[in-house]
Amino acid sequence: MADYLGEKVLAFSVFSAEKGSFALSDLTRKNKLWLWFCPRNGVTLIEVQQLSFHRGEKAIFSDLNLSIPKGKITAIMGPSGIGKTTLLKLIGGQLQPSAGQILFDGQDVHQLSRANLYKLRKRLGMLFQSGALFSDLNVFENVAFPLREHCQLPESVLRNLVLMKLHAVGLRGAAELMPNDLSGGMARRVALARAIALEPEVVLYDEPFVGQDPISMGVLVKLIATLGKSLNLTSVIVSHDVDEVMSIADHVFLIDQHRVLASGTVQQIRDSEDPRVQQFLQGLADGPVAFHYPAEDYLSALGGEQ
Amino acid sequence: MIQAISQLGASCLANIAALGRASMMLAQALWFIPTRKLLRDIVRQLYVVGVLSLPIILVSGLFIGMVIAFQGYSILVDFGAETSLGPMVALSLLRELGPVVTALLFAGRAGSALTAEIGLMKTTEQLSSMEMMAVDPLRRVIAPRFWAGVIAMPLLASMFNLVGIWGGFLVGVEWLGVDDGSFWSIMGASIEFGQDIGNGLIKSVVFALAVTWVALFNGYDARPSARGISQATTRSVVYASLLVLGLDFILTALMFGS
């Protein structure tokens, strides 16, 4: 938490985390003002504690710990296949961990009843890697879907809300198009409009930049940063697009070998002397992370029997 | 030998586990208070699984009724009993062919479509995205399709029977010259509402539950890949068809065995 906050607010955060409450009289006048104007920032919203997750025999995470602060953009990065998407699904309660817990605003996600889990998910939005738009609904209806499901709104109000969301992602003019008619970047933006339709506190982005052309990528980077700031969203971006993510992230977690390899501000990560961190940031083909998947000796494999 | 036994055991365990998952899916999908939204979705799905299946059901019913009339006439005429063609066509359709063939056609046409649709929704993460939007896909996707299948199939079977009897009439009376009055009057006298029409409807409802459940579960449980969807669709049609034939034997034995 010290990474996100000033020294004085750190004292408050630690105190409130330990005691669950605090007395305003304990704080200086300056701190009171800071808290008044920035009530959402600086508090941990999602806490991953000693999380382990296995797929069959294979460990995806073991003893993973990380804290995601409220109102910030947090990047979770790492090589392909280390379970970044799995982590988002664990946060959203779609997968059960083998051990450990994930606290969302103090609630253990995996101990919640089905009804309470669905209630919690209303506070979450998720942008899927594929967009996951409903292929039989047009763009307007895709964005309207969560509103129709959860809100009893007059049609005119709903229409205005949907058009506002689509306008925010620059696709008001595409409202009548079907998902098949959209480019990859447009589909991702529609999915983003849908993810923020219920005005969630948290948006989870699963590889938002994969397969995007430079313009679409630039648009998405700007959108994520702008929406995060203007709506005071807590954004969690899972990605391995180093430059794009680091250009907007407030805090970065680098995951490798089942646990957090490095964490800190963008500058702290860039300054890291860990060779694995540097290999990832610089995109080196070989290094501590081997180019070859573990296998038997090459020469003996070539000369051996099939 | 030991390997074969262990494979058999593993296969049995996998099937029991699948049955458990299928039961859980159905229980979670149906265990809630119906809403107006559910009714609207059921009506929409009735169009997809019911109305769109109608052409194949009607055409099949017509041909099957005509074929029974031909076959029946060729046997009955040898005994001078061709006036019994009406009850023969009607009872064959009402008791057996109507429910069974409708269920088999439904499994091939609507069941496979349901499996493929839900499998594709799973593969493209549409079901996951629903979950993350706090919308339960079991209630939003599975439940309306299930009820639509259960409502549609008995209606389709009834239409199959009607068209089949009309097909029998066309061949028997219009073509082969069986007496019109005998055809209808003996048919009317032979059919018992509870025994024939009622039992046929009960069969249809049971087949509808089985076929729709199998189709929906195979889609929901499909591996999220092209091959996974293809296997699930095949499995859906094969399992549903075998289940229908097996259940038909059991139901027939219970209804008409004594």
Side-chain angles (χ1 to χ4, degrees), chain A residues 92 94 114 118 121-122 128 130 132-135 145 148-150 194, chain B residues 28 37 124-126 128-138 140:
Chain A
Q94 290 187 301
R114 195 174 167 82
Y118 274 88
R121 281 178 183 158
K122 289 183 190 170
F128 283 80
S130 60
L133 296 176
F134 302 125
S135 46
F145 183 84
R148 287 195 197 284
E149 290 294 321
H150 296 300
R194 189 178 67 176
Chain B
Q28 287 178 348
K37 207 174 281 177
T124 53
E125 295 185 303
Q126 293 180 43
S128 284
S129 73
M130 254 184 216
E131 281 183 358
M132 291 305 291
M133 282 185 270
V135 177
D136 188 346
L138 291 173
R140 187 66 174 71

PDB file of all heavy atoms in Angstrom, chain A residues 92 94 114 118 121-122 128 130 132-135 145 148-150 194, chain B residues 28 37 124-126 128-138 140:
ATOM      1  N   GLY A  92     -13.493 -12.695 -10.311  1.00  0.00           N
ATOM      2  CA  GLY A  92     -14.930 -12.613 -10.596  1.00  0.00           C
ATOM      3  C   GLY A  92     -15.727 -13.782 -10.042  1.00  0.00           C
ATOM      4  O   GLY A  92     -16.939 -13.846 -10.217  1.00  0.00           O
ATOM      5  N   GLN A  94     -15.616 -16.869 -10.946  1.00  0.00           N
ATOM      6  CA  GLN A  94     -16.003 -17.889 -11.929  1.00  0.00           C
ATOM      7  C   GLN A  94     -15.207 -19.175 -11.742  1.00  0.00           C
ATOM      8  O   GLN A  94     -15.577 -20.201 -12.287  1.00  0.00           O
ATOM      9  CB  GLN A  94     -15.800 -17.356 -13.352  1.00  0.00           C
ATOM     10  CG  GLN A  94     -16.811 -16.268 -13.712  1.00  0.00           C
ATOM     11  CD  GLN A  94     -16.730 -15.869 -15.163  1.00  0.00           C
ATOM     12  OE1 GLN A  94     -15.686 -15.431 -15.646  1.00  0.00           O
ATOM     13  NE2 GLN A  94     -17.818 -16.009 -15.875  1.00  0.00           N
ATOM     14  N   ARG A 114     -24.556 -17.893  -3.822  1.00  0.00           N
ATOM     15  CA  ARG A 114     -24.757 -17.618  -5.245  1.00  0.00           C
ATOM     16  C   ARG A 114     -25.431 -16.243  -5.446  1.00  0.00           C
ATOM     17  O   ARG A 114     -25.011 -15.459  -6.290  1.00  0.00           O
ATOM     18  CB  ARG A 114     -25.655 -18.731  -5.811  1.00  0.00           C
ATOM     19  CG  ARG A 114     -25.696 -18.815  -7.307  1.00  0.00           C
ATOM     20  CD  ARG A 114     -26.506 -20.049  -7.689  1.00  0.00           C
ATOM     21  NE  ARG A 114     -26.840 -20.045  -9.089  1.00  0.00           N
ATOM     22  CZ  ARG A 114     -26.042 -20.441 -10.056  1.00  0.00           C
ATOM     23  NH1 ARG A 114     -24.832 -20.859  -9.771  1.00  0.00           N
ATOM     24  NH2 ARG A 114     -26.424 -20.420 -11.308  1.00  0.00           N
ATOM     25  N   TYR A 118     -23.698 -12.901  -7.239  1.00  0.00           N
ATOM     26  CA  TYR A 118     -24.266 -12.167  -8.364  1.00  0.00           C
ATOM     27  C   TYR A 118     -24.474 -10.697  -7.995  1.00  0.00           C
ATOM     28  O   TYR A 118     -24.309  -9.816  -8.833  1.00  0.00           O
ATOM     29  CB  TYR A 118     -25.575 -12.822  -8.825  1.00  0.00           C
ATOM     30  CG  TYR A 118     -25.311 -13.929  -9.822  1.00  0.00           C
ATOM     31  CD1 TYR A 118     -25.064 -15.227  -9.398  1.00  0.00           C
ATOM     32  CD2 TYR A 118     -25.268 -13.669 -11.179  1.00  0.00           C
ATOM     33  CE1 TYR A 118     -24.784 -16.238 -10.296  1.00  0.00           C
ATOM     34  CE2 TYR A 118     -24.995 -14.669 -12.088  1.00  0.00           C
ATOM     35  CZ  TYR A 118     -24.743 -15.958 -11.648  1.00  0.00           C
ATOM     36  OH  TYR A 118     -24.455 -16.942 -12.563  1.00  0.00           O
ATOM     37  N   ARG A 121     -21.180  -9.084  -8.374  1.00  0.00           N
ATOM     38  CA  ARG A 121     -20.766  -8.921  -9.779  1.00  0.00           C
ATOM     39  C   ARG A 121     -21.377  -7.683 -10.425  1.00  0.00           C
ATOM     40  O   ARG A 121     -20.887  -7.222 -11.456  1.00  0.00           O
ATOM     41  CB  ARG A 121     -21.131 -10.165 -10.580  1.00  0.00           C
ATOM     42  CG  ARG A 121     -20.157 -11.301 -10.363  1.00  0.00           C
ATOM     43  CD  ARG A 121     -20.586 -12.510 -11.146  1.00  0.00           C
ATOM     44  NE  ARG A 121     -19.701 -13.640 -10.901  1.00  0.00           N
ATOM     45  CZ  ARG A 121     -20.028 -14.906 -11.100  1.00  0.00           C
ATOM     46  NH1 ARG A 121     -21.227 -15.201 -11.547  1.00  0.00           N
ATOM     47  NH2 ARG A 121     -19.175 -15.870 -10.861  1.00  0.00           N
ATOM     48  N   LYS A 122     -22.460  -7.158  -9.824  1.00  0.00           N
ATOM     49  CA  LYS A 122     -23.016  -5.913 -10.366  1.00  0.00           C
ATOM     50  C   LYS A 122     -22.048  -4.756 -10.159  1.00  0.00           C
ATOM     51  O   LYS A 122     -22.162  -3.721 -10.801  1.00  0.00           O
ATOM     52  CB  LYS A 122     -24.356  -5.597  -9.685  1.00  0.00           C
ATOM     53  CG  LYS A 122     -25.471  -6.522 -10.090  1.00  0.00           C
ATOM     54  CD  LYS A 122     -26.771  -6.117  -9.445  1.00  0.00           C
ATOM     55  CE  LYS A 122     -27.823  -7.192  -9.668  1.00  0.00           C
ATOM     56  NZ  LYS A 122     -29.023  -6.975  -8.890  1.00  0.00           N
ATOM     57  N   PHE A 128     -13.896  -8.803 -21.998  1.00  0.00           N
ATOM     58  CA  PHE A 128     -13.291 -10.087 -22.374  1.00  0.00           C
ATOM     59  C   PHE A 128     -12.353  -9.899 -23.568  1.00  0.00           C
ATOM     60  O   PHE A 128     -12.541  -9.004 -24.386  1.00  0.00           O
ATOM     61  CB  PHE A 128     -14.377 -11.096 -22.716  1.00  0.00           C
ATOM     62  CG  PHE A 128     -15.046 -11.668 -21.502  1.00  0.00           C
ATOM     63  CD1 PHE A 128     -16.035 -10.958 -20.846  1.00  0.00           C
ATOM     64  CD2 PHE A 128     -14.678 -12.896 -20.991  1.00  0.00           C
ATOM     65  CE1 PHE A 128     -16.640 -11.467 -19.711  1.00  0.00           C
ATOM     66  CE2 PHE A 128     -15.280 -13.417 -19.858  1.00  0.00           C
ATOM     67  CZ  PHE A 128     -16.266 -12.706 -19.218  1.00  0.00           C
ATOM     68  N   SER A 130     -12.120 -11.621 -26.186  1.00  0.00           N
ATOM     69  CA  SER A 130     -12.801 -11.760 -27.476  1.00  0.00           C
ATOM     70  C   SER A 130     -13.915 -10.724 -27.647  1.00  0.00           C
ATOM     71  O   SER A 130     -14.563 -10.677 -28.676  1.00  0.00           O
ATOM     72  CB  SER A 130     -13.406 -13.155 -27.563  1.00  0.00           C
ATOM     73  OG  SER A 130     -14.336 -13.331 -26.502  1.00  0.00           O
ATOM     74  N   ALA A 132     -16.734 -10.930 -26.489  1.00  0.00           N
ATOM     75  CA  ALA A 132     -17.874 -11.733 -25.981  1.00  0.00           C
ATOM     76  C   ALA A 132     -19.205 -11.023 -26.181  1.00  0.00           C
ATOM     77  O   ALA A 132     -20.084 -11.097 -25.329  1.00  0.00           O
ATOM     78  CB  ALA A 132     -17.662 -12.115 -24.509  1.00  0.00           C
ATOM     79  N   LEU A 133     -19.350 -10.344 -27.310  1.00  0.00           N
ATOM     80  CA  LEU A 133     -20.641  -9.703 -27.598  1.00  0.00           C
ATOM     81  C   LEU A 133     -21.653 -10.776 -27.961  1.00  0.00           C
ATOM     82  O   LEU A 133     -21.296 -11.817 -28.526  1.00  0.00           O
ATOM     83  CB  LEU A 133     -20.490  -8.720 -28.758  1.00  0.00           C
ATOM     84  CG  LEU A 133     -19.569  -7.525 -28.500  1.00  0.00           C
ATOM     85  CD1 LEU A 133     -19.431  -6.681 -29.767  1.00  0.00           C
ATOM     86  CD2 LEU A 133     -20.070  -6.663 -27.358  1.00  0.00           C
ATOM     87  N   PHE A 134     -22.918 -10.507 -27.676  1.00  0.00           N
ATOM     88  CA  PHE A 134     -23.963 -11.465 -28.039  1.00  0.00           C
ATOM     89  C   PHE A 134     -24.206 -11.356 -29.538  1.00  0.00           C
ATOM     90  O   PHE A 134     -24.639 -10.313 -30.039  1.00  0.00           O
ATOM     91  CB  PHE A 134     -25.241 -11.187 -27.249  1.00  0.00           C
ATOM     92  CG  PHE A 134     -25.019 -11.251 -25.775  1.00  0.00           C
ATOM     93  CD1 PHE A 134     -25.359 -10.198 -24.952  1.00  0.00           C
ATOM     94  CD2 PHE A 134     -24.430 -12.371 -25.197  1.00  0.00           C
ATOM     95  CE1 PHE A 134     -25.136 -10.256 -23.586  1.00  0.00           C
ATOM     96  CE2 PHE A 134     -24.201 -12.432 -23.831  1.00  0.00           C
ATOM     97  CZ  PHE A 134     -24.553 -11.378 -23.030  1.00  0.00           C
ATOM     98  N   SER A 135     -23.924 -12.450 -30.228  1.00  0.00           N
ATOM     99  CA  SER A 135     -23.878 -12.389 -31.692  1.00  0.00           C
ATOM    100  C   SER A 135     -25.258 -12.210 -32.331  1.00  0.00           C
ATOM    101  O   SER A 135     -25.349 -11.809 -33.483  1.00  0.00           O
ATOM    102  CB  SER A 135     -23.197 -13.641 -32.244  1.00  0.00           C
ATOM    103  OG  SER A 135     -23.713 -14.771 -31.606  1.00  0.00           O
ATOM    104  N   PHE A 145     -28.211  -4.657 -22.783  1.00  0.00           N
ATOM    105  CA  PHE A 145     -28.507  -5.936 -22.121  1.00  0.00           C
ATOM    106  C   PHE A 145     -28.439  -5.870 -20.585  1.00  0.00           C
ATOM    107  O   PHE A 145     -29.413  -6.225 -19.903  1.00  0.00           O
ATOM    108  CB  PHE A 145     -27.588  -7.032 -22.670  1.00  0.00           C
ATOM    109  CG  PHE A 145     -27.847  -8.384 -22.108  1.00  0.00           C
ATOM    110  CD1 PHE A 145     -28.830  -9.211 -22.633  1.00  0.00           C
ATOM    111  CD2 PHE A 145     -27.125  -8.848 -21.016  1.00  0.00           C
ATOM    112  CE1 PHE A 145     -29.077 -10.464 -22.095  1.00  0.00           C
ATOM    113  CE2 PHE A 145     -27.360 -10.098 -20.476  1.00  0.00           C
ATOM    114  CZ  PHE A 145     -28.336 -10.908 -21.021  1.00  0.00           C
ATOM    115  N   ARG A 148     -31.248  -3.707 -19.196  1.00  0.00           N
ATOM    116  CA  ARG A 148     -32.569  -4.351 -19.268  1.00  0.00           C
ATOM    117  C   ARG A 148     -32.703  -5.427 -18.197  1.00  0.00           C
ATOM    118  O   ARG A 148     -33.777  -5.659 -17.665  1.00  0.00           O
ATOM    119  CB  ARG A 148     -32.774  -4.987 -20.641  1.00  0.00           C
ATOM    120  CG  ARG A 148     -33.007  -4.007 -21.770  1.00  0.00           C
ATOM    121  CD  ARG A 148     -33.557  -4.737 -23.002  1.00  0.00           C
ATOM    122  NE  ARG A 148     -33.431  -3.940 -24.205  1.00  0.00           N
ATOM    123  CZ  ARG A 148     -34.215  -2.913 -24.519  1.00  0.00           C
ATOM    124  NH1 ARG A 148     -35.176  -2.551 -23.696  1.00  0.00           N
ATOM    125  NH2 ARG A 148     -34.030  -2.242 -25.641  1.00  0.00           N
ATOM    126  N   GLU A 149     -31.585  -6.110 -17.906  1.00  0.00           N
ATOM    127  CA  GLU A 149     -31.641  -7.212 -16.944  1.00  0.00           C
ATOM    128  C   GLU A 149     -31.786  -6.721 -15.512  1.00  0.00           C
ATOM    129  O   GLU A 149     -32.441  -7.362 -14.700  1.00  0.00           O
ATOM    130  CB  GLU A 149     -30.376  -8.078 -17.057  1.00  0.00           C
ATOM    131  CG  GLU A 149     -30.293  -8.889 -18.331  1.00  0.00           C
ATOM    132  CD  GLU A 149     -31.383  -9.958 -18.428  1.00  0.00           C
ATOM    133  OE1 GLU A 149     -31.697 -10.588 -17.408  1.00  0.00           O
ATOM    134  OE2 GLU A 149     -31.938 -10.128 -19.536  1.00  0.00           O
ATOM    135  N   HIS A 150     -31.128  -5.593 -15.213  1.00  0.00           N
ATOM    136  CA  HIS A 150     -31.047  -5.192 -13.805  1.00  0.00           C
ATOM    137  C   HIS A 150     -31.830  -3.930 -13.443  1.00  0.00           C
ATOM    138  O   HIS A 150     -31.999  -3.649 -12.264  1.00  0.00           O
ATOM    139  CB  HIS A 150     -29.579  -4.980 -13.419  1.00  0.00           C
ATOM    140  CG  HIS A 150     -28.765  -6.222 -13.500  1.00  0.00           C
ATOM    141  ND1 HIS A 150     -29.051  -7.345 -12.761  1.00  0.00           N
ATOM    142  CD2 HIS A 150     -27.688  -6.548 -14.253  1.00  0.00           C
ATOM    143  CE1 HIS A 150     -28.176  -8.295 -13.048  1.00  0.00           C
ATOM    144  NE2 HIS A 150     -27.347  -7.842 -13.963  1.00  0.00           N
ATOM    145  N   ARG A 194     -20.429  -1.829 -22.931  1.00  0.00           N
ATOM    146  CA  ARG A 194     -21.311  -2.729 -22.204  1.00  0.00           C
ATOM    147  C   ARG A 194     -20.788  -2.971 -20.782  1.00  0.00           C
ATOM    148  O   ARG A 194     -21.566  -3.054 -19.827  1.00  0.00           O
ATOM    149  CB  ARG A 194     -21.426  -4.058 -22.953  1.00  0.00           C
ATOM    150  CG  ARG A 194     -22.467  -4.980 -22.397  1.00  0.00           C
ATOM    151  CD  ARG A 194     -22.577  -6.252 -23.199  1.00  0.00           C
ATOM    152  NE  ARG A 194     -21.369  -7.066 -23.092  1.00  0.00           N
ATOM    153  CZ  ARG A 194     -21.220  -8.266 -23.634  1.00  0.00           C
ATOM    154  NH1 ARG A 194     -22.202  -8.780 -24.354  1.00  0.00           N
ATOM    155  NH2 ARG A 194     -20.102  -8.952 -23.499  1.00  0.00           N
TER     156      ARG A 194
ATOM    157  N   GLN B  28     -30.606 -25.953 -11.114  1.00  0.00           N
ATOM    158  CA  GLN B  28     -30.298 -24.529 -10.961  1.00  0.00           C
ATOM    159  C   GLN B  28     -31.041 -23.685 -11.983  1.00  0.00           C
ATOM    160  O   GLN B  28     -31.384 -22.531 -11.738  1.00  0.00           O
ATOM    161  CB  GLN B  28     -28.794 -24.303 -11.085  1.00  0.00           C
ATOM    162  CG  GLN B  28     -28.038 -24.789  -9.861  1.00  0.00           C
ATOM    163  CD  GLN B  28     -26.540 -24.616  -9.988  1.00  0.00           C
ATOM    164  OE1 GLN B  28     -26.027 -24.336 -11.061  1.00  0.00           O
ATOM    165  NE2 GLN B  28     -25.834 -24.809  -8.895  1.00  0.00           N
ATOM    166  N   LYS B  37     -40.185 -11.752 -17.726  1.00  0.00           N
ATOM    167  CA  LYS B  37     -39.081 -11.826 -18.692  1.00  0.00           C
ATOM    168  C   LYS B  37     -38.896 -13.265 -19.182  1.00  0.00           C
ATOM    169  O   LYS B  37     -38.657 -13.497 -20.364  1.00  0.00           O
ATOM    170  CB  LYS B  37     -37.810 -11.320 -18.014  1.00  0.00           C
ATOM    171  CG  LYS B  37     -36.798 -10.737 -18.964  1.00  0.00           C
ATOM    172  CD  LYS B  37     -35.629 -10.135 -18.209  1.00  0.00           C
ATOM    173  CE  LYS B  37     -35.980  -8.772 -17.659  1.00  0.00           C
ATOM    174  NZ  LYS B  37     -34.918  -8.162 -16.864  1.00  0.00           N
ATOM    175  N   THR B 124     -17.437 -18.712 -27.267  1.00  0.00           N
ATOM    176  CA  THR B 124     -17.141 -17.287 -27.492  1.00  0.00           C
ATOM    177  C   THR B 124     -17.318 -16.466 -26.212  1.00  0.00           C
ATOM    178  O   THR B 124     -17.427 -15.243 -26.282  1.00  0.00           O
ATOM    179  CB  THR B 124     -18.051 -16.721 -28.601  1.00  0.00           C
ATOM    180  OG1 THR B 124     -19.411 -17.007 -28.261  1.00  0.00           O
ATOM    181  CG2 THR B 124     -17.748 -17.331 -29.949  1.00  0.00           C
ATOM    182  N   GLU B 125     -17.352 -17.126 -25.098  1.00  0.00           N
ATOM    183  CA  GLU B 125     -17.394 -16.503 -23.766  1.00  0.00           C
ATOM    184  C   GLU B 125     -18.651 -15.676 -23.513  1.00  0.00           C
ATOM    185  O   GLU B 125     -18.682 -14.832 -22.631  1.00  0.00           O
ATOM    186  CB  GLU B 125     -16.146 -15.632 -23.537  1.00  0.00           C
ATOM    187  CG  GLU B 125     -14.856 -16.425 -23.496  1.00  0.00           C
ATOM    188  CD  GLU B 125     -13.658 -15.565 -23.160  1.00  0.00           C
ATOM    189  OE1 GLU B 125     -13.434 -14.603 -23.885  1.00  0.00           O
ATOM    190  OE2 GLU B 125     -12.972 -15.867 -22.181  1.00  0.00           O
ATOM    191  N   GLN B 126     -19.695 -15.914 -24.313  1.00  0.00           N
ATOM    192  CA  GLN B 126     -20.927 -15.151 -24.088  1.00  0.00           C
ATOM    193  C   GLN B 126     -21.580 -15.543 -22.760  1.00  0.00           C
ATOM    194  O   GLN B 126     -22.157 -14.699 -22.075  1.00  0.00           O
ATOM    195  CB  GLN B 126     -21.912 -15.373 -25.240  1.00  0.00           C
ATOM    196  CG  GLN B 126     -21.418 -14.778 -26.557  1.00  0.00           C
ATOM    197  CD  GLN B 126     -22.397 -15.005 -27.690  1.00  0.00           C
ATOM    198  OE1 GLN B 126     -23.590 -14.852 -27.535  1.00  0.00           O
ATOM    199  NE2 GLN B 126     -21.884 -15.379 -28.853  1.00  0.00           N
ATOM    200  N   SER B 128     -19.911 -16.684 -20.116  1.00  0.00           N
ATOM    201  CA  SER B 128     -19.072 -16.098 -19.063  1.00  0.00           C
ATOM    202  C   SER B 128     -19.370 -14.619 -18.902  1.00  0.00           C
ATOM    203  O   SER B 128     -19.426 -14.105 -17.780  1.00  0.00           O
ATOM    204  CB  SER B 128     -17.591 -16.252 -19.420  1.00  0.00           C
ATOM    205  OG  SER B 128     -17.176 -17.553 -19.202  1.00  0.00           O
ATOM    206  N   SER B 129     -19.539 -13.940 -20.037  1.00  0.00           N
ATOM    207  CA  SER B 129     -19.784 -12.491 -19.942  1.00  0.00           C
ATOM    208  C   SER B 129     -21.127 -12.236 -19.257  1.00  0.00           C
ATOM    209  O   SER B 129     -21.271 -11.280 -18.506  1.00  0.00           O
ATOM    210  CB  SER B 129     -19.719 -11.833 -21.321  1.00  0.00           C
ATOM    211  OG  SER B 129     -20.851 -12.154 -22.081  1.00  0.00           O
ATOM    212  N   MET B 130     -22.107 -13.101 -19.499  1.00  0.00           N
ATOM    213  CA  MET B 130     -23.383 -12.965 -18.800  1.00  0.00           C
ATOM    214  C   MET B 130     -23.182 -13.103 -17.295  1.00  0.00           C
ATOM    215  O   MET B 130     -23.720 -12.318 -16.510  1.00  0.00           O
ATOM    216  CB  MET B 130     -24.329 -14.076 -19.261  1.00  0.00           C
ATOM    217  CG  MET B 130     -25.409 -13.591 -20.169  1.00  0.00           C
ATOM    218  SD  MET B 130     -26.497 -14.949 -20.529  1.00  0.00           S
ATOM    219  CE  MET B 130     -26.859 -14.520 -22.208  1.00  0.00           C
ATOM    220  N   GLU B 131     -22.417 -14.125 -16.915  1.00  0.00           N
ATOM    221  CA  GLU B 131     -22.153 -14.327 -15.484  1.00  0.00           C
ATOM    222  C   GLU B 131     -21.520 -13.084 -14.879  1.00  0.00           C
ATOM    223  O   GLU B 131     -21.886 -12.657 -13.788  1.00  0.00           O
ATOM    224  CB  GLU B 131     -21.208 -15.515 -15.282  1.00  0.00           C
ATOM    225  CG  GLU B 131     -21.885 -16.852 -15.390  1.00  0.00           C
ATOM    226  CD  GLU B 131     -20.936 -17.995 -15.113  1.00  0.00           C
ATOM    227  OE1 GLU B 131     -19.742 -17.749 -14.876  1.00  0.00           O
ATOM    228  OE2 GLU B 131     -21.396 -19.150 -15.151  1.00  0.00           O
ATOM    229  N   MET B 132     -20.566 -12.505 -15.610  1.00  0.00           N
ATOM    230  CA  MET B 132     -19.878 -11.327 -15.074  1.00  0.00           C
ATOM    231  C   MET B 132     -20.772 -10.096 -15.069  1.00  0.00           C
ATOM    232  O   MET B 132     -20.474  -9.119 -14.396  1.00  0.00           O
ATOM    233  CB  MET B 132     -18.590 -11.060 -15.867  1.00  0.00           C
ATOM    234  CG  MET B 132     -17.511 -12.097 -15.655  1.00  0.00           C
ATOM    235  SD  MET B 132     -17.069 -12.338 -13.914  1.00  0.00           S
ATOM    236  CE  MET B 132     -16.270 -10.793 -13.547  1.00  0.00           C
ATOM    237  N   MET B 133     -21.862 -10.127 -15.837  1.00  0.00           N
ATOM    238  CA  MET B 133     -22.831  -9.027 -15.782  1.00  0.00           C
ATOM    239  C   MET B 133     -23.917  -9.329 -14.744  1.00  0.00           C
ATOM    240  O   MET B 133     -24.979  -8.711 -14.750  1.00  0.00           O
ATOM    241  CB  MET B 133     -23.481  -8.829 -17.154  1.00  0.00           C
ATOM    242  CG  MET B 133     -22.600  -8.080 -18.127  1.00  0.00           C
ATOM    243  SD  MET B 133     -23.465  -7.746 -19.653  1.00  0.00           S
ATOM    244  CE  MET B 133     -23.075  -9.179 -20.598  1.00  0.00           C
ATOM    245  N   ALA B 134     -23.637 -10.311 -13.898  1.00  0.00           N
ATOM    246  CA  ALA B 134     -24.573 -10.711 -12.843  1.00  0.00           C
ATOM    247  C   ALA B 134     -25.877 -11.241 -13.404  1.00  0.00           C
ATOM    248  O   ALA B 134     -26.937 -11.078 -12.810  1.00  0.00           O
ATOM    249  CB  ALA B 134     -24.830  -9.561 -11.864  1.00  0.00           C
ATOM    250  N   VAL B 135     -25.800 -11.846 -14.573  1.00  0.00           N
ATOM    251  CA  VAL B 135     -26.976 -12.481 -15.171  1.00  0.00           C
ATOM    252  C   VAL B 135     -26.685 -13.980 -15.217  1.00  0.00           C
ATOM    253  O   VAL B 135     -25.683 -14.392 -15.804  1.00  0.00           O
ATOM    254  CB  VAL B 135     -27.227 -11.950 -16.604  1.00  0.00           C
ATOM    255  CG1 VAL B 135     -28.404 -12.666 -17.238  1.00  0.00           C
ATOM    256  CG2 VAL B 135     -27.467 -10.449 -16.579  1.00  0.00           C
ATOM    257  N   ASP B 136     -27.540 -14.763 -14.588  1.00  0.00           N
ATOM    258  CA  ASP B 136     -27.295 -16.199 -14.521  1.00  0.00           C
ATOM    259  C   ASP B 136     -27.660 -16.844 -15.866  1.00  0.00           C
ATOM    260  O   ASP B 136     -28.834 -16.848 -16.247  1.00  0.00           O
ATOM    261  CB  ASP B 136     -28.153 -16.797 -13.400  1.00  0.00           C
ATOM    262  CG  ASP B 136     -27.821 -18.264 -13.140  1.00  0.00           C
ATOM    263  OD1 ASP B 136     -27.131 -18.857 -13.987  1.00  0.00           O
ATOM    264  OD2 ASP B 136     -28.251 -18.799 -12.110  1.00  0.00           O
ATOM    265  N   PRO B 137     -26.669 -17.380 -16.585  1.00  0.00           N
ATOM    266  CA  PRO B 137     -26.983 -17.969 -17.896  1.00  0.00           C
ATOM    267  C   PRO B 137     -27.915 -19.166 -17.803  1.00  0.00           C
ATOM    268  O   PRO B 137     -28.637 -19.464 -18.755  1.00  0.00           O
ATOM    269  CB  PRO B 137     -25.621 -18.372 -18.461  1.00  0.00           C
ATOM    270  CG  PRO B 137     -24.690 -18.358 -17.321  1.00  0.00           C
ATOM    271  CD  PRO B 137     -25.244 -17.455 -16.280  1.00  0.00           C
ATOM    272  N   LEU B 138     -27.906 -19.839 -16.660  1.00  0.00           N
ATOM    273  CA  LEU B 138     -28.813 -20.984 -16.531  1.00  0.00           C
ATOM    274  C   LEU B 138     -30.264 -20.519 -16.570  1.00  0.00           C
ATOM    275  O   LEU B 138     -31.121 -21.157 -17.163  1.00  0.00           O
ATOM    276  CB  LEU B 138     -28.533 -21.730 -15.224  1.00  0.00           C
ATOM    277  CG  LEU B 138     -27.205 -22.467 -15.167  1.00  0.00           C
ATOM    278  CD1 LEU B 138     -26.954 -23.029 -13.793  1.00  0.00           C
ATOM    279  CD2 LEU B 138     -27.178 -23.589 -16.196  1.00  0.00           C
ATOM    280  N   ARG B 140     -31.230 -17.434 -17.738  1.00  0.00           N
ATOM    281  CA  ARG B 140     -31.486 -16.557 -18.880  1.00  0.00           C
ATOM    282  C   ARG B 140     -31.442 -17.315 -20.206  1.00  0.00           C
ATOM    283  O   ARG B 140     -32.158 -16.973 -21.141  1.00  0.00           O
ATOM    284  CB  ARG B 140     -30.422 -15.440 -18.882  1.00  0.00           C
ATOM    285  CG  ARG B 140     -30.609 -14.357 -19.878  1.00  0.00           C
ATOM    286  CD  ARG B 140     -31.868 -13.564 -19.564  1.00  0.00           C
ATOM    287  NE  ARG B 140     -32.005 -12.420 -20.429  1.00  0.00           N
ATOM    288  CZ  ARG B 140     -32.303 -12.475 -21.712  1.00  0.00           C
ATOM    289  NH1 ARG B 140     -32.507 -13.650 -22.279  1.00  0.00           N
ATOM    290  NH2 ARG B 140     -32.407 -11.385 -22.435  1.00  0.00           N
TER     291      ARG B 140
END
